[in-house]
Amino acid sequence: MAFVDPILAETEASVVMVDRRAVPGGHWNDAYPFVRLHQPAASYGVTSKPLGRNRIEASGLNAGLHELSSGVEIIKYYHDLMEEVFLASGRVTYRPLTEYVGDGEVVALLSGTSQIIEYQTLVDATLLTTAIPSTHQPNFDVGPGVTCVPPNRLPHLAAQYRRITVLGGGKTGVDALTWLLSNGYPGEALSWVVPRDAWFFNRASFEVGIDFLEATFGSLADEYEAIASASNIEDLCLEIEQSGRWLRVDHDVWPTMFHAATISQRELETLRRVGNIHREGRVQRLEVGEMVLDNATVPTATDILYVDCTASALAHNVGDRSPVFSPGRINLQMVRQFQPCFSSALIGFIEANIDDEAARGHMTAPTPMTDTVEDCLQGRINGIHNQSSWGSNKAVAQWMGRCRLDPGNVLHQIPRGDTAKMAILGRLLEAIPPALDNLPRLLANR
Ligand SMILES: Cc1cc2nc3c(=O)[nH]c(=O)nc-3n(C[C@H](O)[C@H](O)[C@H](O)COP(=O)(O)OP(=O)(O)OC[C@H]3O[C@@H](n4cnc5c(N)ncnc54)[C@H](O)[C@@H]3O)c2cc1C
């Protein structure tokens, strides 16, 4: 939808949208009821339609930061967008409950009828498809008599269990635990299976608007300065952590996972109340009275509720990709790290306005999802090159300046007399070239 939005605004094209699901909104339709964005609503969604009310949250674990939409708000947003903008345009045909099987063929899932759709350009939006707990197949066994549920069931079941074990060290596991703890579940009754600790982004570094410029772009400048000067990846991680931009749950445990989840300081403090953390590898099997992990068998109580948070979200999509643009085909991917919506919207704008194949290629080197810090640094290289090619194309730069999905457009709004904010911009511009020089050295020196 982020791609189609600029296509409607900038071209006369008609679009057929094919989706297996019954309603717009992709994975959000199957998410747990307490899911929220982990970045400000102000820069999520599509270009033409604001999401949320740009409020600063006054209470809760995200207090002091811009609002994070709930799953319900996001689904309503996409529903309204489809009904009131896409379908109302008369140029979009929406085919829900329909599977694309290849070579222009689609199959209606309920009737089984198949049809060939004529098209000029095929847009593959499945490379960013997410894996989430309620629809994935866990890769461990659950023995008879054990209750293991996706977090969707937690609000129904939590009160019935005196012990809960959350499986998975990523963002969904964090959400399940912080939801339980902030609703009064006792920390000592909680266990958490964390096969690999994660580096998290400090959410305060991912804010929007001029008032947060120092917290966001000052922190980004810190990161680039650290990349420019570090002699190895471990020192780099420590320096970025020192600056407050990256966070980890336990200072004594070295994170080996980087899935780019964000966390607030309050969430982190809440998380530290979890009674037991098991770091003996992935779950192989759950039995009544024991939990078999890769590197240990852990004796347990017999009345535990297990919560499966082991789906990989976007992390199953790690790795290099085919090009975004090829003749007759567009493979939607992230071309700015960790920003799927902005990336798809930008690709839509480029499709509508830039014909030159070489220029399109220069602007859209993929920055795939990451599993490790090394993946993140690798993606930075393409990200920096892309950013510079967008800046040197007048049409793209102007579009970005007014695109609500680009938090960076705030850099163009700095009043000239504001020397403190101009200094942040200066630091950023100064740090990027040496960071780009040092990235290959850091990656070679692992
Ligand atoms: C819990 C959670 C929180 C997130 N928070 C943020 C955030 O704060 N900020 C952010 O930028 N990103 C966030 N993300 C990531 C972001 O939401 C996703 O990257 C984005 O929504 C992906 O959209 P998508 O359409 O690519 O994938 P999905 O939402 O997974 O949708 C893909 C669709 O394609 C359909 N499909 C797949 N194959 C076929 C086929 N052959 N034929 C027909 N249909 C098919 C699927 O049924 C599905 O409906 C979050 C992800 C999760 C899981």
Side-chain angles (χ1 to χ4, degrees):
M1 294 178 90
F3 170 85
V4 170
D5 186 65
I7 293 294
L8 292 179
E10 307 272 339
T11 76
E12 305 280 298
S14 298
V15 182
V16 182
M17 299 191 75
V18 177
D19 198 316
R20 273 194 210 116
R21 281 193 167 87
V23 285
H27 71 87
W28 296 106
N29 289 288
D30 295 313
Y32 36 99
F34 48 89
V35 75
R36 298 174 85 199
L37 281 176
H38 62 145
Q39 62 154 79
S43 59
Y44 190 84
V46 305
T47 316
S48 70
K49 184 175 166 66
L51 172 62
R53 277 165 278 175
N54 213 16
R55 288 171 302 198
I56 306 289
E57 294 194 22
S59 59
L61 299 182
N62 198 50
L65 302 178
H66 279 90
E67 68 178 290
L68 310 170
S69 295
S70 67
V72 172
E73 289 171 294
I74 298 168
I75 292 167
K76 175 162 168 32
Y77 174 86
Y78 285 122
H79 174 92
D80 289 352
L81 181 69
M82 179 61 85
E83 292 292 325
E84 294 164 11
V85 183
F86 284 18
L87 297 180
S89 75
R91 289 162 52 201
V92 174
T93 306
Y94 174 46
R95 303 283 300 267
L97 288 168
T98 303
E99 169 126 19
Y100 181 75
V101 292
D103 295 328
E105 184 181 358
V106 299
V107 177
L109 293 177
L110 300 191
S111 67
T113 46
S114 113
Q115 187 194 347
I116 300 289
I117 295 183
E118 300 286 331
Y119 60 83
Q120 270 182 339
T121 306
L122 178 75
V123 183
D124 184 354
T126 68
L127 288 169
L128 296 174
T129 300
T130 48
I132 60 165
S134 66
T135 51
H136 91 140
Q137 182 61 40
N139 60 2
F140 53 85
D141 296 324
V142 179
V146 176
T147 307
C148 179
V149 296
N152 304 53
R153 300 277 296 137
L154 208 42
H156 300 284
L157 295 180
Q160 298 167 33
Y161 285 81
R162 293 179 58 202
R163 290 183 188 78
I164 297 180
T165 297
V166 171
L167 312 174
K171 176 70 181 135
T172 307
V174 169
D175 280 357
L177 290 161
T178 51
W179 179 82
L180 283 161
L181 288 161
S182 56
N183 282 289
Y185 203 87
E188 60 279 12
L190 285 172
S191 297
W192 188 17
V193 176
V194 182
R196 294 185 295 161
D197 277 58
W199 284 114
F200 293 98
F201 278 125
N202 184 343
R203 191 171 305 126
S205 308
F206 285 80
E207 283 295 289
V208 288
I210 195 97
D211 294 342
F212 286 82
L213 190 117
E214 180 159 9
T216 52
F217 289 95
S219 149
L220 184 61
D222 290 342
E223 184 173 309
Y224 277 121
E225 285 166 359
I227 295 174
S229 63
S231 52
N232 61 62
I233 291 176
E234 192 175 323
D235 287 353
L236 172 67
C237 296
L238 289 171
E239 198 172 333
I240 301 176
E241 180 184 36
Q242 187 71 30
S243 77
R245 184 171 172 85
W246 290 8
L247 301 169
R248 55 176 149 163
V249 172
D250 187 332
H251 289 293
D252 295 327
V253 180
W254 188 253
T256 55
M257 182 165 98
F258 195 100
H259 287 182
T262 73
I263 196 168
S264 71
Q265 284 285 0
R266 285 189 184 201
E267 282 173 334
L268 196 62
E269 281 151 26
T270 303
L271 209 50
R272 289 182 177 141
R273 286 170 30 215
V274 171
N276 308 290
I277 302 188
H278 298 285
R279 294 191 164 91
E280 297 97 343
R282 291 182 171 216
V283 182
Q284 291 186 1
R285 205 169 66 248
L286 302 175
E287 299 285 356
V288 174
E290 68 179 28
M291 184 166 64
V292 182
L293 306 181
D294 285 337
N295 305 316
T297 295
V298 181
T300 65
T302 52
D303 57 346
I304 293 180
L305 175 64
Y306 290 97
V307 187
D308 172 27
C309 299
T310 65
S312 53
L314 279 173
H316 60 113
N317 274 324
V318 173
D320 281 326
R321 296 262 177 273
S322 42
V324 169
F325 287 100
S326 55
R329 186 180 179 108
I330 297 173
N331 295 308
L332 290 183
Q333 295 165 74
M334 285 187 280
V335 292
R336 179 189 271 167
Q337 281 189 308
F338 317 125
Q339 294 196 11
C341 297
F342 169 79
S343 298
S344 293
L346 177 71
I347 293 168
F349 181 83
I350 292 172
E351 163 68 2
N353 292 288
I354 294 170
D355 292 328
D356 182 76
E357 286 297 329
R360 289 176 166 211
H362 276 126
M363 290 182 187
T364 56
T367 58
M369 194 49 200
T370 60
D371 189 46
T372 61
V373 171
E374 286 79 1
D375 295 336
C376 175
L377 298 179
Q378 189 68 53
R380 270 300 142 92
I381 297 175
N382 280 356
I384 293 172
H385 286 305
N386 286 346
Q387 182 80 32
S388 125
S389 64
W390 305 333
S392 50
N393 181 295
K394 198 171 162 200
V396 173
Q398 282 177 348
W399 176 82
M400 284 173 61
R402 55 179 195 272
C403 176
R404 61 171 286 273
L405 304 174
D406 181 12
N409 58 29
V410 73
L411 294 169
H412 305 292
Q413 297 161 15
I414 303 175
R416 288 217 170 270
D418 191 332
T419 47
K421 290 193 173 65
M422 288 304 278
I424 292 169
L425 178 60
R427 278 179 58 212
L428 195 56
L429 294 176
E430 203 169 311
I432 289 173
L436 187 59
D437 276 352
N438 202 29
L439 276 164
R441 276 195 293 275
L442 283 170
L443 286 163
N445 198 11
R446 353 178 165 177

